[in-house]
Amino acid sequence: MMSSPLIRALDRGAVTFMLLLAAIGIAVPLLNLLTPDASQFHVPTYLVALWGKYVCYAILALSIDLIWGYCGILSLGHGAFFALGGYAMGMYLMRQIGTRGVYADPIRPDFMVFLNWPELPVYWYGFNYFAYAALMVLLVPGLLAFVFGWFAFRSRVTGVYLSIITQALTYALTLAFFRNNFGFGGNNGLTDFKDILGFNVQADGTRAALFALSCLALILAFLICRAVVTSKLGKVLIAIRDAESRTRFLGYRVESYKLFVFTLSACMAGVAGALYVPQVGIINPSEFAPGNSIEAVIWVAVGGRGTLIGAALGAVVVNYAKTYFTSGPLAPYWLFMLGALFILVTLLLPKGIVGTFNAWWEPWRAQRISPIAESAAREDGVSEPNPAE
């Protein structure tokens, strides 16, 4: 009986990780909604939103680890796909404001009324429907990644050159979205959201539901990544990472594999951005900043490139440290601390936190299991007893 690819992709560590995520996704909303504010078990609403942001960053880190850790594509522009997904969701949320805006225009958002836009641009049509917005969350980043990857991979652009081009892409989008005549709010971006699917986006119950949905999305993203990397496709991706020219010589269409995984990764980043926006309450061009994409790569390096779980863990750990250190006297020095963290991890823990743990754990586990397996084999008559005994 053949098991499904998702079932084959699961091991003890993966199952434990998903169960832990599911427990967090259930426990945090319940502790926020059902416990009194004075209780020591109560989770404040601001923490629900903050942790929800961390979960969205973890999805982004997974998307980067899929292409960098398993295919060797170092993208320094993945923040662009994250921001495009966020803008798609932000456009839907803006259309839900209607007459409750400052200018009470039922069709045009406030910034368009302020800038004297005569009518709603064509590319805003359809965003008053959630299904259309959800489709755009996947389609816009995916289409951009497909077009970009088609030209880049067909031209056999690799290594640092590809990284520079991806960074140039996100910088170009930053400049474009800063323009007021681009139709996305300019420097201020999109904000002042009211409802999502008819629910008040600021309500405690909505924030709790968004957190639970983000945890579910992280579980699904992790399952998809595990299914890819443990399949035959994943073995080809690893071969491309380790020896691209040899893989091409064996007859594999390397460009097609890289294009597929790059597009899939961009769609995952778009979903992360779409979940991020209603929890944060704003999306503006600063999300396109090249520094954000570089920082996301650091998350993966700290957690452990090519481990998936490590990428998600690195996103949470680094962003928690950022929240902690940027709220005190060390705030002006956070970027220096982040750079020092990346250097120290590269020098002392080149495999990241989870990668280093796995490198230590596997030999110890093998030494521990080997005598047990040998004893069991002797009892079953599989191996001959040692004459010296």
Side-chain angles (χ1 to χ4, degrees), residues 245-265:
S245 58
R246 292 184 181 183
T247 307
R248 183 178 286 109
F249 180 76
L250 291 173
Y252 289 98
R253 295 179 61 88
V254 170
E255 295 79 12
S256 298
Y257 285 94
K258 295 172 76 171
L259 182 60
F260 169 77
V261 74
F262 189 72
T263 304
L264 174 62
S265 175

Side-chain angles (χ1 to χ4, degrees), residues 24-25 28-29 48 51-52 55 206-215 279:
I24 293 174
V28 169
V48 176
W51 293 346
V55 174
T206 306
R207 290 187 177 275
L210 287 170
F211 176 83
L213 183 61
S214 299
C215 290
Q279 298 184 82

Side-chain angles (χ1 to χ4, degrees), residues 220-286:
L220 293 177
F222 178 75
L223 274 174
I224 292 172
C225 291
R226 284 287 300 179
V228 169
V229 302
T230 57
S231 65
K232 293 180 180 179
L233 169 62
K235 291 179 172 59
V236 176
L237 295 179
I238 293 174
I240 294 172
R241 179 196 67 188
D242 296 339
E244 181 174 334
S245 58
R246 292 184 181 183
T247 307
R248 183 178 286 109
F249 180 76
L250 291 173
Y252 289 98
R253 295 179 61 88
V254 170
E255 295 79 12
S256 298
Y257 285 94
K258 295 172 76 171
L259 182 60
F260 169 77
V261 74
F262 189 72
T263 304
L264 174 62
S265 175
C267 291
M268 290 173 53
V271 171
L275 291 169
Y276 170 86
V277 167
Q279 298 184 82
V280 176
I282 187 173
I283 178 71
N284 58 41
S286 65

Side-chain angles (χ1 to χ4, degrees), residues 229-372:
V229 302
T230 57
S231 65
K232 293 180 180 179
L233 169 62
K235 291 179 172 59
V236 176
L237 295 179
I238 293 174
I240 294 172
R241 179 196 67 188
D242 296 339
E244 181 174 334
S245 58
R246 292 184 181 183
T247 307
R248 183 178 286 109
F249 180 76
L250 291 173
Y252 289 98
R253 295 179 61 88
V254 170
E255 295 79 12
S256 298
Y257 285 94
K258 295 172 76 171
L259 182 60
F260 169 77
V261 74
F262 189 72
T263 304
L264 174 62
S265 175
C267 291
M268 290 173 53
V271 171
L275 291 169
Y276 170 86
V277 167
Q279 298 184 82
V280 176
I282 187 173
I283 178 71
N284 58 41
S286 65
E287 296 297 338
F288 286 100
N292 292 347
S293 300
I294 297 173
E295 188 174 332
V297 171
I298 295 177
W299 305 340
V300 178
V302 170
R305 173 191 172 194
T307 61
L308 294 183
I309 294 177
L313 178 64
V316 174
V317 169
V318 174
N319 280 285
Y320 174 78
K322 181 178 181 179
T323 301
Y324 181 80
F325 288 112
T326 55
S327 59
L330 296 177
Y333 308 102
W334 163 247
L335 290 178
F336 297 101
M337 296 172 63
L338 183 64
L341 175 65
F342 182 65
I343 294 173
L344 290 175
V345 167
T346 302
L347 295 177
L348 303 179
L349 300 174
K351 297 182 179 180
I353 297 173
V354 174
T356 302
F357 175 80
N358 290 339
W360 169 84
W361 170 257
E362 291 300 332
W364 180 85
R365 182 172 177 270
Q367 292 177 0
R368 183 171 176 268
I369 293 178
S370 182
I372 299 175

Side-chain angles (χ1 to χ4, degrees), residues 92-112:
Y92 162 76
L93 295 172
M94 291 297 290
R95 292 298 307 274
Q96 301 306 301
I97 296 176
T99 57
R100 291 173 293 175
V102 175
Y103 297 100
D105 191 292
I107 303 296
R108 294 174 298 168
D110 284 340
F111 73 89
M112 289 187 183

Side-chain angles (χ1 to χ4, degrees), residues 93 193-196 199-203 206-207 210 278-279:
L93 295 172
F193 307 134
K194 306 294 185 183
D195 295 335
I196 180 169
F199 297 96
N200 184 358
V201 75
Q202 300 293 335
T206 306
R207 290 187 177 275
L210 287 170
Q279 298 184 82

Side-chain angles (χ1 to χ4, degrees), residues 50-249:
L50 180 64
W51 293 346
K53 184 173 72 170
Y54 294 164
V55 174
C56 295
Y57 286 153
I59 300 174
L60 175 61
L62 275 181
S63 71
I64 295 175
D65 194 29
L66 180 63
I67 58 171
W68 184 35
Y70 291 92
C71 196
I73 303 173
L74 177 55
S75 171
L76 296 181
H78 244 55
F81 306 124
F82 178 86
L84 286 173
Y87 264 96
M89 180 56 65
M91 292 166 73
Y92 162 76
L93 295 172
M94 291 297 290
R95 292 298 307 274
Q96 301 306 301
I97 296 176
T99 57
R100 291 173 293 175
V102 175
Y103 297 100
D105 191 292
I107 303 296
R108 294 174 298 168
D110 284 340
F111 73 89
M112 289 187 183
V113 179
F114 178 78
L115 295 173
N116 296 320
W117 283 68
E119 58 184 2
L120 192 71
V122 174
Y123 47 85
W124 275 76
Y125 291 175
F127 278 97
N128 52 322
Y129 301 106
F130 181 81
Y132 180 82
L135 177 63
M136 291 299 105
V137 165
L138 295 172
L139 185 61
V140 173
L143 183 60
L144 176 62
F146 182 84
V147 173
F148 174 85
W150 176 273
F151 289 104
F153 300 140
R154 297 279 169 175
S155 303
R156 298 190 180 181
V157 179
T158 58
V160 66
Y161 302 103
L162 181 64
S163 301
I164 293 173
I165 293 175
T166 56
Q167 194 169 30
L169 171 67
T170 189
Y171 185 68
L173 288 171
T174 303
L175 297 179
F177 275 77
F178 262 114
R179 297 175 60 90
N180 285 328
N181 60 358
F182 207 60
F184 295 102
N187 182 45
N188 295 322
L190 309 178
T191 188
D192 195 28
F193 307 134
K194 306 294 185 183
D195 295 335
I196 180 169
L197 290 174
F199 297 96
N200 184 358
V201 75
Q202 300 293 335
D204 292 352
T206 306
R207 290 187 177 275
L210 287 170
F211 176 83
L213 183 61
S214 299
C215 290
L216 177 60
L218 179 56
I219 293 174
L220 293 177
F222 178 75
L223 274 174
I224 292 172
C225 291
R226 284 287 300 179
V228 169
V229 302
T230 57
S231 65
K232 293 180 180 179
L233 169 62
K235 291 179 172 59
V236 176
L237 295 179
I238 293 174
I240 294 172
R241 179 196 67 188
D242 296 339
E244 181 174 334
S245 58
R246 292 184 181 183
T247 307
R248 183 178 286 109
F249 180 76

